[in-house]
Amino acid sequence: MADTNQSIHGEWSSRFAFILAATGSAVGLGNIWKFPYITGENGGGAFVIVYLICVAAIGIPIMIAETMMGRRGRQSPINTLKSLTEEAGGHTHWHYLGWLGVIAGFLILSYYSVIAGWSMAYVIKAFTGSFSGESATQISSMFSDLQASPLQQTFWHTIFMVATMAVVARGVKGGLEKAVRFLMPGLFILLMLLVAYAMTTGAYLQGLEFLFKPDFSELTAASVLTAMGHAFFTLSLGMGAIMVYGSYLPKNISIAKTAIMIAGADTLVALLAGIAIFPIVFSNGLEAGSGPGLIFETLPIAFGSMTGGWLFGILFFVLLVFAALSSAISLIEPAVAWCVEHYEVERKQACIGMGFVTWLLGMGTVFSFNEWSDVTIFGANFFEALDYLTANLMLPLGGLFIALFAGRIMLAKDSKDELDLGKDTLFDVWRFLVSYVAPAAVFIVFLNVLGVFGIFS
C-alpha cells in the first residue's frame, strides 16, 4: 500500500501555494517565448482554438493523473512509481517511468539554464540601452556574439543555476513556496504592464484580431499536431515535476479543481504573452511568424525603436527570467527529492551534487554554439540533440505512460479515493479521457515527431 502520510520533504501550506508552484512549473519560456511564435507560424486564432481544446481534452486529464499519482505515492517520482506499481500489482518495469521523468527534467534543466542565462544577459543589455537605434542586422549580431562567447554564456548559466539551487536547497515551504509566492505575482504584474503598453500601440486591435479571430483556412494538419504537442508540453507533464509537487499536496485538497485552475492560469499567461507581443510586433512592421528568434532577435528591434522601449525591454526580459526560474526549480526538485530519499543525505548536500552535475552537463549546450559547433549527433549539435531527445521523445513517452498507468494499471478504487470527484459520472469521464483519448493523441504526436506522418510537415 502506498504511503498516504505527509511526504518526508514537507507539504504545501495551502491549495493556493500548490497552484502557484505548479503554475510556476508550467509557466516558463514555453509560454512567453514559444507560444507567441508558433501561433504566428500557424495562422493565429484558429491555432489558438485547437490549442485550447487540446489543453482541456488532453492536458488537464494527464495533469490530474500525474498529480494524483504523486499524492498517493508521497515520494520522489522514482519511489512513487515503485510504491504504486506494488499497490496495483503491476509489472515491475512500470517503475522505470519514474526514472524517465526525473532524467528528462534533469536533462532539460541543463540546457534550459543556458537559455535562461541569455534572458539574464538581455536584462542587462536592455538596461544599458544596447537595443536603442540598432538595426535588425546589429541586433542579430548581438545575439550571435553572445552565443559565440563561451565565457559570457558560462557566466550567466552559472548565475542562473546558483539561483535555482539556492531556492531548492531551502525546502518545500522555506524555498519553493516562498519563491513562487514572489515570482508568480511578479510575473503577472510584469505581463499586465506589457499588455497595458500594447494597448497604447496603434496595432493593439490588429494583434487581438490575429490572436482571437479564427481563419480555419490557415489551419493545417501540422498546425493541429503542433497545438496538441504544445498543449501537452506547456503544462510540464511527463517530467516528474507535477508528480513530485503533487506528493506535497495535502489530502483534503481537490486534485481535479486544482488542476483545472493551474491549466487555466498557464493558458492565461500564454494568451497574455500573445496580447502583449503581437501589437508590439505589428506596430513596428515586424513579422509575427519569425520563429524562435522572435524574442532574442525580433523584439529587441522593437524595444530599440519604440517610445519607452528601454523600460519595457527591461520588464520583458525580467519577466522571462522570472518564468524560467519558476520552472527551473520544479525541473530539479524530482532529482533532489530522490537523492535525499535514496542516499539519506541532507537537502543542501543533494542540491550541491545535483546542481553541479546539471551545470556541468549544461556546458555541453554552451559549447555547442561555439567550440563544439562542428560536433554533431545525427546531424544535430549537442544542444539540438538534447532538446530533441527530451522534448520530442522522452516527454511524449512519459505523458503516454502516465496516462496508461493511471487509467489502466492503477485500481479504479484507488484513483477514485484520491480524486474524490463526488459523482461517478465525472470519474468515468476522466478515466475514459486518460485511458483512451489522451494516450491516442499523445501517440499520434509521438509518431509525427518520428516522421511517420511526413505529409503533416
Side-chain angles (χ1 to χ4, degrees), residues 3 9 16 47 63 74 105 129 141 145 154 157 254 272 278 375 414 442 448:
D3 182 7
H9 308 288
F16 181 65
F47 175 83
M63 176 172 275
R74 293 294 188 189
S141 295
D145 290 345
T154 299
H157 167 48
S254 168
L272 286 174
F278 288 127
V375 179
D414 294 335
V442 175
N448 185 65

Side-chain angles (χ1 to χ4, degrees), residues 117-447:
W118 298 347
S119 302
M120 297 179 86
Y122 267 59
V123 171
I124 303 301
K125 290 181 186 298
F127 184 77
T128 56
S130 297
F131 306 142
S132 181
E134 298 294 294
S135 67
T137 301
Q138 290 168 319
I139 294 290
S140 181
S141 295
M142 191 182 299
F143 185 51
S144 298
D145 290 345
L146 174 63
Q147 290 184 312
S149 171
L151 188 60
Q152 285 189 64
Q153 289 196 83
T154 299
F155 175 78
W156 292 113
H157 167 48
T158 303
I159 294 295
F160 186 81
M161 278 304 306
V162 169
T164 299
M165 302 320 298
V167 171
V168 176
R170 297 176 66 85
V172 177
K173 288 185 178 177
L176 305 179
E177 188 170 317
K178 280 188 176 180
V180 296
R181 283 185 182 275
F182 166 74
L183 290 172
M184 294 314 295
L187 186 150
F188 274 100
I189 290 170
L190 289 170
L191 252 184
M192 293 312 297
L193 285 173
L194 287 166
V195 168
Y197 174 78
M199 293 176 70
T200 68
T201 67
Y204 181 66
L205 293 179
Q206 184 185 353
L208 289 184
E209 184 174 318
F210 178 78
L211 195 59
F212 295 113
K213 184 178 179 181
D215 180 1
F216 290 99
S217 67
E218 293 287 327
L219 201 63
T220 65
S223 301
V224 174
L225 288 169
T226 300
M228 191 186 300
H230 189 67
F232 172 70
F233 300 131
T234 190
L235 293 174
S236 287
L237 304 176
M239 60 182 72
I242 297 300
M243 193 179 297
V244 78
Y245 276 11
S247 72
Y248 309 147
L249 187 64
K251 177 70 176 176
N252 63 341
I253 292 175
S254 168
I255 290 174
K257 289 179 182 177
T258 305
I260 291 170
M261 290 180 185
I262 294 164
D266 176 72
T267 303
L268 178 62
V269 169
L271 293 175
L272 286 174
I275 292 170
I277 288 171
F278 288 127
I280 294 174
V281 169
F282 291 140
S283 65
N284 286 273
L286 302 173
E287 178 56 53
S290 56
L294 181 67
I295 297 304
F296 294 107
E297 295 181 279
T298 303
L299 280 181
I301 300 171
F303 293 138
S305 61
M306 69 191 199
T307 304
W310 175 79
L311 174 61
F312 289 101
I314 295 171
L315 292 177
F316 181 79
F317 287 107
V318 168
L319 169 67
L320 275 185
V321 173
F322 276 26
L325 185 57
S326 66
S327 292
I329 59 179
S330 73
L331 288 169
I332 197 65
E333 176 64 18
V336 169
W338 178 78
C339 280
V340 171
E341 294 167 4
H342 186 74
Y343 294 109
E344 298 182 352
V345 296
E346 292 184 359
R347 175 173 275 264
K348 289 182 180 178
Q349 291 176 289
C351 283
I352 292 171
M354 295 309 299
F356 177 74
V357 175
T358 307
W359 176 87
L360 193 61
L361 185 61
M363 292 305 297
T365 293
V366 168
F367 292 133
S368 67
F369 297 105
N370 37 74
E371 304 296 331
W372 295 354
S373 60
D374 294 331
V375 179
T376 59
I377 306 169
F378 298 110
N381 65 29
F382 183 86
F383 163 69
E384 292 166 343
L386 200 57
D387 182 39
Y388 187 90
L389 172 66
T390 52
N392 293 352
L393 299 178
M394 296 179 77
L395 294 190
L397 281 176
L400 175 64
F401 289 132
I402 284 170
L404 292 174
F405 187 90
R408 303 191 186 190
I409 303 301
M410 281 188 70
L411 301 177
K413 65 179 181 65
D414 294 335
S415 301
K416 190 175 291 187
D417 175 58
E418 282 298 326
L419 295 180
D420 192 25
L421 292 174
K423 295 182 179 180
D424 287 345
T425 304
L426 293 176
F427 177 78
D428 291 341
V429 169
W430 168 80
R431 196 168 170 86
F432 174 76
L433 288 172
V434 84
S435 298
Y436 299 101
V437 177
V442 175
F443 188 61
I444 290 170
V445 171
F446 186 67
L447 290 181

Side-chain angles (χ1 to χ4, degrees), residues 16-187:
F16 181 65
F18 173 67
I19 290 172
L20 284 180
T23 302
S25 174
V27 171
L29 295 177
N31 297 70
I32 299 165
W33 167 61
K34 189 173 184 180
F35 178 76
Y37 88 71
I38 62 174
T39 300
E41 289 178 331
N42 291 280
F47 175 83
V48 172
I49 290 174
V50 175
Y51 166 74
L52 294 176
I53 292 171
C54 290
V55 167
I58 303 168
I60 291 175
I62 296 181
M63 176 172 275
I64 291 172
E66 190 166 347
T67 307
M68 175 197 69
M69 290 164 63
R71 188 168 72 178
R72 191 157 187 86
R74 293 294 188 189
Q75 301 163 87
S76 67
I78 293 169
N79 289 328
T80 282
L81 262 295
K82 285 182 181 179
S83 176
L84 295 183
T85 299
E86 290 174 4
E87 181 181 61
H91 196 287
T92 54
H93 287 170
W94 277 104
H95 82 265
Y96 290 116
L97 175 57
W99 279 102
L100 180 66
V102 171
I103 293 172
F106 172 80
L107 294 177
I108 289 169
L109 180 58
S110 74
Y111 65 81
Y112 196 90
S113 174
V114 177
I115 299 172
W118 298 347
S119 302
M120 297 179 86
Y122 267 59
V123 171
I124 303 301
K125 290 181 186 298
F127 184 77
T128 56
S130 297
F131 306 142
S132 181
E134 298 294 294
S135 67
T137 301
Q138 290 168 319
I139 294 290
S140 181
S141 295
M142 191 182 299
F143 185 51
S144 298
D145 290 345
L146 174 63
Q147 290 184 312
S149 171
L151 188 60
Q152 285 189 64
Q153 289 196 83
T154 299
F155 175 78
W156 292 113
H157 167 48
T158 303
I159 294 295
F160 186 81
M161 278 304 306
V162 169
T164 299
M165 302 320 298
V167 171
V168 176
R170 297 176 66 85
V172 177
K173 288 185 178 177
L176 305 179
E177 188 170 317
K178 280 188 176 180
V180 296
R181 283 185 182 275
F182 166 74
L183 290 172
M184 294 314 295
L187 186 150

